[in-house]
Amino acid sequence: MSCLLHIGSPALGEASVSRQAARSFREGRERKVGHRDLGAAPVPHLSAAGITARVTPRFNGE
């Protein structure tokens, strides 16, 4: 099964020609499409907890 992931971050918002073109392409797909608009919902900055999480030992519940 194939799918499409569209990540957009247009500076011009709805006036962006690239956003309009991408929307047209997404709407023409028959398969699943994932969409993330970084202009409308930016990813938060990485916190100290997020930075150190990769080197923190896994808790195994024992």
Side-chain angles (χ1 to χ4, degrees), residues 14-60:
E14 291 300 320
S16 170
V17 174
S18 62
R19 175 180 272 191
Q20 295 168 11
R23 181 182 301 125
S24 174
F25 182 77
R26 282 194 333 261
E27 291 171 353
R29 302 277 299 182
E30 294 179 8
R31 298 191 184 234
K32 183 178 179 180
V33 176
H35 178 236
R36 173 76 188 245
D37 186 344
L38 298 177
V43 176
H45 290 283
L46 194 56
S47 66
I51 292 169
T52 58
R54 68 179 186 85
V55 295
T56 303
R58 176 185 276 188
F59 177 72
N60 63 9

Side-chain angles (χ1 to χ4, degrees), residues 4-18:
L4 172 70
L5 173 60
H6 171 223
I7 301 174
S9 60
L12 299 177
E14 291 300 320
S16 170
V17 174
S18 62

